[in-house]
Amino acid sequence: MPHVLLIEDDASVRDGMELVLRRHGYGVDTAATGEQALALLAGERGSRVELAVLDLMLPGMDGFEVCRRIRARSATLPVIMLTARGDDSDIVTGLEAGADDYVVKPVTAPVLEARIRAALRRAEPSARQRSDADLAGLVIDRAGLTVTKNGTPVALPPTELRLLLELSAAPGRVFSREQLLESVWDHTYLGDSRLVDAAVGRLRAKLEDVPAKPRYVQTVRGFGYRFGPL
């Protein structure tokens, strides 16, 4: 049974979401503040959490900072952020802080549950077993699901790892944002290209010597992204 940490300060929203998730078979821990959530993750109960659903507008420590601290603590815990406004700047900031996906409140139960299932699938070991990559100091072990840069391990959250695996499986091929949304995020509808762009930005920050001049994950303007170097 997957276990979810729900971080939401509005008691009525939190109770409703908890009820929906439990009805779908999830174990649920809840927290009303970011401080409570981080304390839970640091304790014994934190070891069973497989995914966090995080409201951005929290009292005290806001959701952006909570997300950064979760990501600093764990590169692999999927984080879905909740935003009430759908404001572009909030969404981009949340994604840059390390969130894997987002939903805008009020969110329906089917959409929330679908996003959670997709995030958990991304956290599972990838079935892609094409040849490993060893390019200009970047080594991608597809079987072991590890990445090293100049001999140093690079810790990647599941979404970023799957994005790298997808791009590097076909060096030189240009992938549109829509293709990447479907293959990496499992978004076959209501896709948002900001998810792709934010994940690419985080990936470049970890892999590239000069993120503004990428060698590995390259932009093809008007089309999408490809994996190099070419």
Side-chain angles (χ1 to χ4, degrees):
M1 178 185 296
H3 206 94
V4 174
L5 172 59
L6 175 59
I7 311 164
E8 165 63 64
D9 66 306
D10 187 314
S12 61
V13 173
R14 185 173 65 248
D15 292 346
M17 287 186 170
E18 180 180 6
L19 180 61
V20 166
L21 292 175
R22 290 192 183 280
R23 283 179 174 173
H24 281 85
Y26 295 94
V28 183
D29 277 315
T30 63
T33 68
E35 291 84 352
Q36 290 177 4
L38 293 172
L40 187 149
L41 288 170
E44 290 185 8
R45 291 162 62 190
S47 62
R48 65 184 181 179
V49 174
E50 298 174 59
L51 179 142
V53 178
L54 169 65
D55 185 25
L56 289 183
M57 305 306 292
L58 295 171
M61 185 187 300
D62 66 25
F64 303 111
E65 181 60 25
V66 176
C67 187
R68 293 185 190 99
R69 296 196 185 194
I70 289 176
R71 191 53 70 227
R73 181 190 302 271
S74 170
T76 59
L77 182 69
V79 177
I80 298 176
M81 63 181 183
L82 300 173
T83 174
R85 295 179 297 183
D87 183 81
D88 282 356
S89 62
D90 280 355
I91 291 169
V92 171
T93 302
L95 293 172
E96 289 176 346
D100 298 280
D101 201 351
Y102 78 92
V103 291
V104 177
K105 295 191 295 185
V107 57
T108 64
V111 169
L112 178 61
E113 207 271 328
R115 295 295 180 88
I116 289 174
R117 281 190 284 107
L120 289 172
R121 281 197 298 270
R122 290 196 298 274
E124 295 172 352
S126 174
R128 299 177 181 88
Q129 295 296 328
R130 302 181 207 184
S131 60
D132 296 349
D134 185 350
L135 297 168
L138 182 69
V139 178
I140 304 169
D141 180 347
R142 307 185 76 82
L145 298 177
T146 61
V147 179
T148 59
K149 174 73 183 297
N150 297 326
T152 301
V154 179
L156 296 177
T159 297
E160 293 168 33
L161 178 58
R162 282 188 176 265
L163 177 59
L164 180 60
L165 290 173
E166 187 70 23
L167 290 168
S168 64
R173 174 186 169 186
V174 178
F175 291 83
S176 70
R177 290 171 175 82
E178 291 72 23
Q179 288 173 318
L180 293 171
L181 278 168
E182 184 169 352
S183 60
V184 177
W185 280 264
D186 294 333
H187 284 196
T188 54
Y189 61 95
L190 298 178
D192 188 337
S193 63
R194 288 173 296 190
L195 292 169
V196 180
D197 296 339
V200 166
R202 297 196 305 265
L203 196 57
R204 284 173 172 167
K206 296 168 185 174
L207 298 183
E208 305 287 355
D209 294 329
V210 182
K213 298 180 179 179
R215 300 181 62 197
Y216 303 113
V217 182
Q218 302 170 348
T219 300
V220 181
R221 293 191 181 280
F223 294 94
Y225 297 102
R226 68 184 173 198
F227 183 78
L230 299 178

